[in-house]
Amino acid sequence: MLSFKKVGKKRAVLAGTVLALVGLLTYYFVYYPSGQDKYPILPQETQVAKQDNKIKVTPNTDIAQKIIYLKCNDEEVIKTKPAENLIGLNYQQVQNIYSGWSIDKFDNLEIAMTLKVDSYCREHANNMFIGVKDGYVAVYYGKPGEKAILKEVTKLPLDHIMPQDAEELKRGLVVQSREELLRTLEGMQSR
């Protein structure tokens, strides 16, 4: 009876060892594929149809580039077809060309990528207007409307401005340059 228990323990240890070895080998071959081109570690949200180097950019592949402007939270999406220098490239080669971009989807039909930029979008960067904030004259990025971003509130109270100027400021007075902004503010203070 003792010898049967010893043989049973040996078999159990051997079976456990074999099972652990199979698990380790499976892990190694799944997460560390062999070959010259190792697969990159992809962000969790990345969609790749098949994780192999057989997927290549074709002339019919749609490219969607989303740019997120962090200072104003606006997004710009540009959809194009690939340039000639991209045709025939695989995921890793495209990632090398677009090194600052995050590739969210990569297959023969579509490549979707995102770039986060620490600045304002064109609308906010190229446009400014003078408006009102809490009873004071204020300067905004963008165009008058909901998407305007407050740049600064001046020390000039609205009740120290001529009534017709105050009405124009409530609607938003667009200025074309920093010089025009300063001249307009100075003119309002001197009246």
Side-chain angles (χ1 to χ4, degrees), residues 24-42 51-53 92:
L24 286 172
L25 288 173
T26 302
Y27 176 81
Y28 178 79
F29 286 112
V30 169
Y31 289 102
Y32 298 101
S34 61
Q36 294 176 345
D37 291 331
K38 301 258 184 204
Y39 300 118
I41 297 174
L42 302 174
Q51 204 169 29
D52 63 26
N53 288 325
Q92 187 61 47

Side-chain angles (χ1 to χ4, degrees), residues 156-174:
L156 182 60
L158 191 61
D159 57 8
H160 285 72
I161 305 270
M162 294 179 69
Q164 67 269 20
D165 289 342
E167 284 304 313
E168 193 172 4
L169 290 181
K170 288 177 184 175
R171 290 189 304 272
L173 176 62
V174 177

Side-chain angles (χ1 to χ4, degrees), residues 2 15 22 28 45 50-51 60 63 74 77 92 98 124 141 177 191:
L2 284 174
V22 168
Y28 178 79
E45 64 275 2
K50 296 175 191 166
Q51 204 169 29
N60 296 323
I63 298 178
D74 278 359
V77 178
Q92 187 61 47
Y98 291 96
H124 288 108
Y141 288 117
S177 66
R191 293 183 192 173

